[in-house]
Amino acid sequence: MKQYLQKAVGEVLSSLHYSSGALFFEKPKVAAHGDLTTNIAMLLAKEAKKNPRQVAQEITGALHPDPALVAAVEIAGPGFINFRFTPGWVVESAKEILRQGSAFGKTNPANGRLTNVEWVSANPTGPLHSGHGRQVILGYTVANLLEWTGHAVTREYYFNNAGNQMLNLGESIYARYRESLGDSYAFPENGYAGEYIKDIAAAIAAEHGDALRESGEDKKYFRQRGEEWCFASIKKTLERLGVRHDVYYNEDSLYSSGKINEVIEEFRAKGLAYDLDGAVWLKATELGLEQDRVIVKSTGEPTYRLPDIAYHREKFRRGFDLVVDIFGADHIATIPDVLAGVRALGYETENVKVIIHQMVSFVEGEEVVKMSKRSAKVYTLDELIDEVGADAVHYFFVMRSANTHLEFDIELAKEQSDKNPLYYLQYAHARIASILRFAQEQGYPVDDVAALLPSVANALLKEDAEVNLLKLLLDFPEMIQSCAFGYEPHRLTTYLREVAEAFHRFYHDCRVLGEDKSLSTARVALCLMAKTVIFNGCTILGVSAPEKM
RNA sequence: GCACCCGUAGCUCAACUGGAUAGAGCAUCAGACUUCGAAUCUGAGGGUUGGGGGUUCAAGUCCCUCCGGGUGUACCA
């Protein structure tokens, strides 16, 4: 419909010698203002030095939309042009929902664009903690949204199993191992204090006894065992949330393949790197940043910036033309350096989309749940899943805009009542399923789309509650596009809540199964449409849509 | 100090590239089940969008400034 109006109004504009560059349609906030509106007359009025309403008159006077689609065109307020759809068009388009079923909502504006979404990327030094949940879920949902809008998505996890943190992990496990042998052995100052370190150490002690007591300087075995354990733990947690990555990209491969040195040499050749105090510095000030940064430490080890730059360049070399990174706000400082570096290597960073989410705090009713990374008592993501369930983890972490601080209410997430927005949504789905089961018993062709389609007619579905529900359901594909375009999954949760609400309203106002068989069939079809949209939305969110609760 | 994010109803938050009367949920109050799931629905009250300036026909949204909160600001990742 938007495309139709875009074209029709666009033609009118050019016939009137107006520019149509700023022509947009949007859904008015207030239903009384019609189904779609445009502000084009007010924008044109300025350059034409005319009254906006007068410009709107000119446009509508020359506009003759198809009466089968558009019921009314009105000029309102300071010069908005409002369009109202015909009920016939609404009902006719709604048939698509039934025809497409589980594919309804999928569109292809991105046309197979090769897209890399990188997220989680936690190093294997411990289990995922509850705060990681936000980015785990955010990336999962964004990747789904991109896929539903035609991106060819590669889901990627970037990790480093070679740096200082890993050495520290090995040392920490070794220390716990010695303790378990009854030795008094100093625990590393910044060692990992978590209980899991003791578990790993205990497992090693059980297998090897004291045979590894004198491992000398090399704690490689301990490090390896730690890495295996941590990765297994992380992957298991992700699995519980249905999160899968296509590629695990090891930072180490950037060294072994010489990609790191290549970048250094290129920076040197471009005069963007210099030596000072035994370290190699990136001339970031040359790239418009505040200060120069070390890329190779005086010890000879690169800082994280260098591999990050090389890694991003590799993504482009691998053929991706959209690169999406998801970071927590605590990593925000690294981004400008990395982008500047990539740009200096000759790549367009406008195709790098960095999504930064703000921090999460957990509350249980009135109480704030304290969590400290350094302390031994870390609330893991696994424990959060145990506590509230995978569905609530999915829903609650994307419920709010990424760039605002998120308050995760554990008590609310557990609550099985109308207070919990997730339950409200799932209840709507279960309720529809229940009605459809009942309808099936009565002999309605619930599973037979071809048999239901003819009943979908505007002579039958004409109550306000029915038409409003239909219109809302028809917004679904565009809603997904706009969520994907803005990387804003939280808007999908709001939308789905509205769908559930519109359905409950319809259920309340209109009896589905009544005396009139053809009307009942039409309403069964409408139930099925609502169920389809809720189901598809839940699929994108990674939330289950239960048949019964 | 500097950079980024936030400040909207008692609480948690929406508001699509600036649009019309700033919206939901929870909480509070008042109502609705002999009928397909009351885990539902209907209604009411609740606001100077942190303060002040500016741009615009139009500002919660853009610009400047001040105040308050968060996250960073490493030869850690």
Side-chain angles (χ1 to χ4, degrees):
Chain A
M1 181 58 93
K2 256 189 195 177
Q3 283 115 5
Y4 170 78
L5 289 176
Q6 192 85 34
K7 185 161 175 285
V9 178
E11 281 166 7
V12 168
L13 291 178
S14 56
S15 77
L16 293 170
H17 306 292
Y18 284 121
S19 139
S20 58
L23 179 60
F24 286 107
F25 294 88
E26 60 182 8
K27 197 178 171 179
K29 284 179 191 165
V30 185
H33 294 146
D35 295 310
L36 278 179
T37 185
T38 180
N39 63 351
I40 187 68
M42 289 179 290
L43 298 175
L44 293 173
K46 192 175 184 184
E47 52 187 89
K49 294 195 163 61
K50 290 183 190 170
N51 181 322
R53 289 191 66 108
Q54 190 189 336
V55 176
Q57 283 290 351
E58 291 176 30
I59 296 170
T60 55
L63 184 66
H64 304 289
D66 186 343
L69 303 179
V70 178
V73 182
E74 295 143 12
I75 298 169
F80 293 100
I81 305 175
N82 297 337
F83 299 85
R84 225 169 278 275
F85 306 156
T86 61
W89 178 81
V90 172
V91 168
E92 204 51 42
S93 346
K95 290 183 176 177
E96 273 310 299
I97 304 173
L98 289 181
R99 292 197 191 100
Q100 294 183 28
S102 62
F104 179 70
K106 281 188 182 161
T107 55
N108 193 22
N111 197 22
R113 189 173 181 190
L114 292 177
T115 301
N116 183 289
V117 180
E118 182 225 320
W119 86 107
V120 189
S121 296
N123 287 335
T125 56
L128 294 174
H129 63 81
S130 52
H132 278 121
R134 191 170 195 183
Q135 75 151 289
V136 170
I137 298 304
L138 192 56
Y140 170 89
T141 315
V142 165
N144 286 350
L145 283 167
L146 291 173
E147 215 156 56
W148 276 64
T149 49
H151 292 78
V153 177
T154 296
R155 294 165 169 83
E156 189 151 317
Y157 188 123
Y158 176 66
F159 70 99
N160 172 9
N161 58 352
N164 276 327
Q165 296 192 15
M166 295 304 295
L167 294 176
N168 188 3
L169 178 71
E171 295 289 350
S172 304
I173 296 171
Y174 178 73
R176 293 298 189 212
Y177 167 73
R178 290 294 296 269
E179 283 173 17
S180 77
L181 297 178
D183 300 348
S184 87
Y185 187 89
F187 192 73
E189 200 174 326
N190 289 315
Y192 290 95
E195 286 297 314
Y196 64 97
I197 298 290
K198 292 178 186 168
D199 296 342
I200 300 167
I204 294 174
E207 279 176 44
H208 299 275
D210 63 355
L212 302 173
R213 177 177 268 142
E214 302 306 329
S215 302
E217 289 306 299
D218 187 9
K219 311 294 188 308
K220 194 177 170 196
Y221 178 74
F222 292 87
R223 202 172 67 224
Q224 252 170 22
R225 288 292 298 261
E227 179 183 340
E228 283 163 22
W229 189 95
C230 293
F231 247 137
S233 158
I234 290 169
K235 286 179 182 174
K236 190 168 153 255
T237 305
L238 293 176
E239 181 75 18
R240 290 182 74 190
L241 293 168
V243 175
R244 290 193 183 82
H245 290 86
D246 303 307
V247 176
Y248 280 81
Y249 197 100
N250 190 339
E251 181 182 319
D252 206 37
S253 66
L254 293 167
Y255 295 90
S256 52
S257 60
K259 299 278 168 35
I260 300 285
N261 283 329
E262 201 181 315
V263 170
I264 299 175
E265 291 315 313
E266 248 178 276
F267 281 147
R268 284 195 196 278
K270 288 178 196 285
L272 290 169
Y274 62 90
D275 297 285
L276 181 72
D277 300 333
V280 184
W281 293 68
L282 174 66
K283 221 182 257 182
T285 48
E286 192 94 341
L287 303 170
L289 298 178
E290 290 282 320
Q291 48 186 306
D292 289 353
R293 300 287 188 179
V294 170
I295 50 176
V296 182
K297 294 185 256 182
S298 51
T299 58
E301 295 166 333
T303 62
Y304 64 88
R305 291 185 188 87
L306 185 54
D308 277 5
I309 292 168
Y311 174 48
H312 276 78
R313 174 217 272 220
E314 282 309 299
K315 287 188 194 174
F316 284 117
R317 283 184 171 169
R318 287 159 62 198
F320 293 109
D321 37 37
L322 177 62
V323 168
V324 180
D325 295 339
I326 294 171
F327 293 124
D330 50 344
H331 282 62
I332 197 165
T334 80
I335 294 156
D337 298 342
V338 173
L339 290 184
V342 172
R343 205 175 302 120
L345 293 171
Y347 290 89
E348 289 298 328
T349 48
E350 65 190 35
N351 294 324
V352 180
K353 172 67 190 177
V354 182
I355 301 170
I356 295 157
H357 70 261
Q358 300 300 310
M359 299 290 99
V360 184
S361 60
F362 292 85
V363 294
E364 204 150 7
E366 300 289 303
E367 264 183 74
V368 177
V369 182
K370 296 275 183 201
M371 259 162 299
S372 157
K373 212 173 181 177
R374 289 260 173 243
S375 78
K377 197 187 169 212
V378 173
Y379 197 22
T380 66
L381 185 51
D382 252 348
E383 287 164 343
L384 183 66
I385 300 170
D386 291 341
E387 191 81 11
V388 304
D391 281 351
V393 168
H394 272 277
Y395 192 92
F396 277 68
F397 273 125
V398 287
M399 196 163 55
R400 306 303 182 201
S401 160
N403 51 18
T404 183
H405 183 95
L406 174 71
E407 193 162 285
F408 193 117
D409 189 333
I410 294 170
E411 200 169 274
L412 180 63
K414 279 196 292 191
E415 184 139 345
Q416 310 207 349
S417 79
D418 57 343
K419 289 180 194 171
N420 184 338
L422 172 62
Y423 267 78
Y424 184 84
L425 177 61
Q426 293 184 318
Y427 175 69
H429 189 268
R431 195 184 213 187
I432 297 171
S434 165
I435 295 165
L436 292 178
R437 277 194 299 273
F438 190 73
Q440 190 149 37
E441 286 169 23
Q442 314 259 307
Y444 289 92
V446 170
D447 296 325
D448 187 349
V449 168
L452 287 173
L453 280 176
S455 73
V456 181
N458 96 62
L460 294 172
L461 298 174
K462 60 189 178 190
E463 298 294 327
D464 282 352
E466 294 169 323
V467 177
N468 288 340
L469 178 56
L470 279 171
K471 284 180 179 173
L472 196 57
L473 296 175
L474 285 171
D475 286 339
F476 185 56
E478 201 176 310
M479 175 57 56
I480 292 173
Q481 286 181 9
S482 107
C483 290
F485 182 75
Y487 306 93
E488 296 174 317
H490 72 280
R491 293 180 50 207
L492 184 56
T493 63
T494 308
Y495 168 79
L496 289 174
R497 198 200 186 282
E498 284 169 10
V499 171
E501 195 169 24
F503 174 79
H504 288 310
R505 175 71 193 267
F506 153 73
Y507 174 85
H508 187 262
D509 288 2
C510 308
R511 178 153 183 102
V512 177
L513 303 170
E515 296 298 310
D516 182 341
K517 286 290 174 194
S518 54
L519 177 60
S520 297
T521 309
R523 287 178 173 167
V524 166
L526 181 52
C527 286
L528 192 56
M529 291 178 207
K531 186 169 184 266
T532 299
V533 168
I534 293 175
F535 181 89
N536 293 359
C538 286
T539 301
I540 294 171
L541 293 176
V543 166
S544 67
E547 295 288 311
K548 287 180 184 173
M549 290 171 73

